[in-house]
Structure formats: structure tokens, C-alpha cells
Amino acid sequence: MPSAVHPLSLIPLGLLLGEAALGLLSVNPIQDLILRTGKAGLVLLLLTLACTPLKRLTGWKWLLALRKPLGLYSFLYVSLHLVAFAVIDFGLDLALISQAIAEKRYVLAGMASFSLLLPLALTSTKAAQRRLGRWWRPLHRLIYPAALLAALHYLWLAKVPREPLIFLAILGGLLALRLPWWRIR
Ligand code: HEM
């Protein structure tokens, strides 16, 4: 099962590239790229957070081995999302990008989420884990505010809040399952 995580996580990217090659994307392919990489990044982030509570419920230890690849695939999509936004859409115009961050709270939340995910991706190796020692765990708790900011980013940009609210509810459930009172039960 753990090895299936690689082909499964790459499906959204494969579909995107396939549709682009066949000319099946919409009239705004950059928008397609931004929206679909963002959605894949958020779904994979929530799946990363679901592994530990699911392991506790089922006892399946192999679920824990999925956290690292799922987290890294989430970061891959979010990085593509940022490249699509900053390089392809905004032509790396730093003045325009700063203006978007200052004017749109959803861009600020997305950037903040990405900034929290970056150190997690950079310290995901065994060597970094050894180097950081007891600091590795508290550092990797940054995934919680990062996920919350990502879900708020989606809520604040959406014209219809239904789907982002579903993501927020799932995230709230996953975070609640980590609270001490639930674990004691
Ligand atoms: C790196 C900083 C980020 C920037 C500049 C950014 C920017 C954007 C932009 C411009 C859109 C499209 C808005 C629209 O067309 O209405 C978008 C959509 C989205 N972003 Fe981000 N984002 C960032 C980070 C993130 C992160 C970290 C996640 C999740 C982990 C994420 C998930 C999403 C989702 C789920 C959507 C909506 C997809 C849909 O409607 O289907 N973004 N983002």
C-alpha cells in the first residue's frame, strides 16, 4: 500500500499534463494550472494530517509511513501552484506580486501557508531529523497552522463558500482528533 502513494499522488499532475498536451484545458489554461495544483496541494495536505488519527482508529501502522510522501507531494503541488501564480501569471513582477499580497488577504494567507510548509519540506530527510534532534517534532507541528491558513486561503478566494467550508470542517475534525481529551477516550 505505501508504494501506491507515488502513482496515486501523481495522478492530478498526469491528468493536467495530459489535458494540456491534448489541448483539453479551458480557454484560461494558467487559471486551470493554478486552481488544479492548489486543490491537489490542499487535498494531499489533509490526507497527510489524516494518517495519524486513521492509524489510531484502525491500528494500521503502515499509515504512518504515508505521512512523509503525502506531505512532500502536497509541497510539490503547492510549489507548482506558486510558480504558476508568480512566474507564469505575474511574470515574476515583484511589485505586482507585493501589491497582490497587500491587497488580497487570500494571497497573504496562501503565502503564509507556503512559508510554513517550506521548512517542513526542507527538514523532511532523515539527516535533517537527526540534526534537529528534539526540535524536529515541534518544528513539524507547523503543519497545523499551515493547513489552517491554506483552508482559509481557499475560503477567502472562493465565490461560493460551500466546498472550502467542507475542507475547513474536515480539517477541524482532523485537528480535534488530536486533542488530548479525545486521545484519552
Ligand atoms: C504560495 C502562495 C500562494 C499563492 C500566491 C496562491 C494563489 C492562488 C490563486 C491566485 C488562486 C486562484 C484564485 C482565483 O482564480 O480565484 C489560488 C487558488 C487556490 N489555492 Fe492557492 N496560493 C498559494 C498557496 C496555496 C497553498 C499553500 C494551498 C494549499 C495547500 C493553496 C490552495 C489553493 C486552492 C485549494 C485554490 C482553489 C482551487 C479551486 O478553486 O479549485 N494555495 N491560489
Side-chain angles (χ1 to χ4, degrees):
M1 189 62 187
S3 55
V5 75
H6 302 289
L8 289 176
S9 302
L10 287 168
I11 287 176
L13 184 60
L15 287 175
L16 195 58
L17 293 176
E19 286 174 43
L22 296 170
L24 294 175
L25 293 178
S26 74
V27 284
N28 192 341
I30 298 176
Q31 172 98 347
D32 289 349
L33 182 61
I34 293 178
L35 295 183
R36 288 170 61 171
T37 49
K39 185 70 73 61
L42 184 56
V43 169
L44 285 162
L45 196 57
L46 292 189
L47 286 175
T48 310
L49 284 171
C51 291
T52 302
L54 275 178
K55 186 256 163 194
R56 277 200 204 112
L57 285 174
T58 60
W60 295 338
K61 287 207 180 74
W62 56 265
L63 283 166
L64 298 183
L66 302 185
R67 290 175 302 181
K68 182 172 162 181
L70 284 173
L72 285 174
Y73 279 116
S74 166
F75 188 72
L76 167 73
Y77 282 102
V78 171
S79 303
L80 292 174
H81 185 65
L82 178 60
V83 168
F85 168 82
V87 182
I88 306 178
D89 204 14
F90 278 62
L92 216 52
D93 184 330
L94 295 183
L96 268 186
I97 294 171
S98 313
Q99 196 182 339
I101 295 173
E103 284 175 0
K104 295 179 182 147
R105 63 177 175 170
Y106 82 80
V107 178
L108 181 63
M111 285 289 184
S113 173
F114 182 82
S115 315
L116 295 179
L117 292 172
L118 181 65
L120 306 193
L122 294 177
T123 58
S124 63
T125 58
K126 283 259 180 298
Q129 199 167 349
R130 263 196 310 274
R131 243 191 344 268
L132 284 168
R134 67 190 184 90
W135 294 107
W136 192 87
R137 241 167 206 279
L139 176 71
H140 278 249
R141 292 209 179 100
L142 286 178
I143 191 168
Y144 308 130
L148 192 62
L149 283 164
L152 283 175
H153 163 72
Y154 187 17
L155 179 69
W156 287 337
L157 69 87
K159 288 182 186 74
V160 183
R162 206 181 79 96
E163 204 176 309
L165 285 176
I166 295 174
F167 275 92
L168 262 170
I170 295 172
L171 176 62
L174 290 173
L175 296 183
L177 286 176
R178 286 160 188 271
L179 293 176
W181 61 267
W182 178 267
R183 286 164 68 173
I184 289 162
R185 278 182 52 173

